[in-house]
Amino acid sequence: MAGFSHLNEQNRLHMVDVSGKPDTHRLARATGTIDLEEAYTAARDQHLAKGDLLTTATIAGIQGAKSTSGLIPLCHPLPLSSVSLDFRFSDETRQLTVTATAITTGKTGVEMEALTAVSVALLTVFDMCKAITHRMTIHSIRILRKEGGRSGTMDFTGEQP
């Protein structure tokens, strides 16, 4: 099973030792989408019984990023410098797209924190809209960009970094 960084020489699970790696600026940007269906207009216009959708989803996403190492086994706890979320409604598709950016200076990347921020924000949107409908679909959660570390900058949007 060579090639899996979480397996040691005896093929036992372990947390990867990053102590020998240099601290570098790390950034990860992730995105995901929810099809809101009949909850779209209420969500877009902020007319939900549970309150302010975007503020609540922002707080949830940031909290999710900060809690990543407690949720994902073997994920290193990181001192996050910044976590930000952006929300884009599409009237044409009746979707809400969430994009999260996580930044740190450290020995390992923040891809999992950005992905967790997006996931938790989208789950919060679902929770706040489910009184209107359960016919919502969360999808397309993925990394858009990562910076820092041994592999440098990688852009997954098809654009040049």
Side-chain angles (χ1 to χ4, degrees):
M1 297 197 102
F4 289 103
S5 61
H6 288 98
L7 294 176
N8 66 15
E9 296 80 24
Q10 294 80 36
N11 280 335
R12 292 196 179 130
L13 200 61
H14 74 114
M15 185 180 227
V16 174
D17 181 0
V18 296
S19 62
K21 295 172 74 175
D23 285 343
T24 62
H25 170 80
R26 310 286 186 134
L27 176 145
R29 185 166 297 120
T31 193
T33 299
I34 184 167
D35 299 335
L36 291 165
E37 306 296 338
E38 55 266 22
Y40 179 78
T41 302
R44 182 198 61 205
D45 296 345
Q46 296 283 329
H47 293 135
L48 297 171
K50 288 191 172 186
D52 185 331
L53 177 69
L54 299 183
T55 298
T56 306
T58 298
I59 292 168
I62 292 169
Q63 285 299 108
K66 291 168 57 175
S67 301
T68 301
S69 67
L71 297 169
I72 309 296
L74 308 177
C75 190
H76 291 85
L78 299 177
L80 294 170
S81 302
S82 174
V83 178
S84 60
L85 285 95
D86 180 61
F87 300 87
R88 305 238 186 234
F89 286 97
S90 170
D91 290 342
E92 183 178 317
T93 61
R94 301 181 68 78
Q95 296 175 329
L96 172 61
T97 298
V98 178
T99 303
T101 303
I103 299 172
T104 193
T105 299
K107 299 176 184 302
T108 189
V110 287
E111 294 90 347
M112 296 310 299
E113 287 73 13
L115 288 165
T116 302
V118 166
S119 299
V120 173
L122 288 168
L123 289 169
T124 300
V125 170
F126 188 101
D127 179 59
M128 292 186 72
C129 294
K130 71 183 181 190
I132 298 170
T133 184
H134 282 79
R135 295 183 204 278
M136 295 175 282
T137 304
I138 295 172
H139 59 90
S140 303
I141 298 171
R142 65 193 183 282
I143 291 291
L144 295 174
R145 183 179 180 87
K146 69 147 305 273
E147 297 176 8
R150 183 183 46 187
S151 58
T153 297
M154 299 175 76
D155 190 294
F156 301 100
T157 62
E159 302 168 8
Q160 293 299 316

